[in-house]
Amino acid sequence: MAQAQRAPASSSTPWQPEHSLFGKQPTPLYRHEATLTDNQAYTLGELIDIAEENNPATQAAWDRARIAAANLGIARSELYPTIIAAAAGRAFLNPPLLYSSFALQDIGAFETALKLDYTLVDFGARRDEINAAKAKLLASNLTFNNQHLILIQQVSSAYYNLLNAIGLREAAEVNLHDARVVEEAVRDRKANGLATLPDLLEARAATAKADYELQSSLGAEQTAFGDLATVMTASPTKPFKVQELRDLLIPDTLDQTVEDAIENAYQTRPDLLADIARVKAADAEVKYARSAYYPKLDFEGSKGWLRAWGQQEKFGGTYGKTYTYDAKLSLTWTVFDGFRRESRLARAKAERDAAEHEVREREDLIADHVWGDYANAITALHERKAATSLLSASDESYSAAVESYKDGVRNILDVLSAERDLAHARAVDVTARTQVLQSFMNLAFRTGDLLTQHPKGNHP
């Protein structure tokens, strides 16, 4: 343990702790994993429920809100008197000086009392402290909500990325199947003398490329699954299923203007509202700092019961008892404190200005982000319609090319070109569908609506 109390010996080499520093047991890890089963397909709402129940960031934000609530209780306690019950006993043997000689005396005393302290007037200091604590609690609660908003966005984004990866993998499987069908058709035509060896080699290359793209999409799917499991605080080594893209309703229109979206964000974004609450807290802190310039009137009082026994040298012992009381009014006014009050007031004003500037910066960022995500949502809707048309046209073109090739009208290069276009159209269609979901979710996240309008699971 002695080595742990010193800094590293040099900046050029890592610190090497002693083996006994951490003991014989392994270093404790505060690990917690969400439990998911593989016998059901989880909806997005259910995934959000599980993440909210297990995510450490939201739990830490909740703890900070509880701390702020406790601080408010502490501030409010200043409004009430302090009552202390005290009991004290004392015994001593000493020789006091009486004239020119000492007299040894033995005294024992026992006292019980109730003491009351109360601030009568402080010119609003306690009120300002309470107002600051209230605003800080509000900011903590809103920050807690914002952490949930961020978590919902993270889970939704990871879920849609996984759906996109699954869709691309399924499209790649279909593409590989089509490539093998074309290769088999070319092989049959070559056996009948209707195709050449280069035609067969082209078809084989197309099949190999489709297989490569399938393997790549499988890897991307595994990566996307791991990302979702991490956000869920689940283990990526334990498989679970999710509701598939084909089971989701893809929106086809936006129900608000960009102006309404920006204004709605100003009213509902918890991070902006938390910043505004911090400005209110800073205002109260400024008032609290000013209250130090005013006097304070305090009352102190106590009432008790005293019993004592004593004996002086050469005299007999004696016993006495009596009621005791004490009352005191104190008016205190700090005249000079080394400019501490001035410095504290300057600091409070600077913190208030900084909080206001942060609000203004947040408002600008919100407007920019909502504008950008609104444009992305409009673009995604248009791309979705274009992707649907592209897929339909590419499918028809591919079917016609295959039939024409079988009839000897088209060559293999035409078929392979149509096959590539169809594979591309399938990938575009999957991406366009997930992009609509992703862009709508991002817009709801930027406006703050995602906190209440996200898909629901088991929890309302």
Side-chain angles (χ1 to χ4, degrees), residues 106-110 305-311 316-322:
D106 184 6
I107 298 177
F110 179 75
W305 175 253
L306 174 64
R307 292 181 296 168
W309 175 89
Q311 182 178 12
T318 184
Y319 171 79
K321 57 184 178 179
T322 184

Side-chain angles (χ1 to χ4, degrees), residues 322-335:
T322 184
Y323 289 104
T324 63
Y325 72 90
D326 183 20
K328 178 182 178 183
L329 278 176
S330 300
L331 180 66
T332 58
W333 198 344
T334 302
V335 178

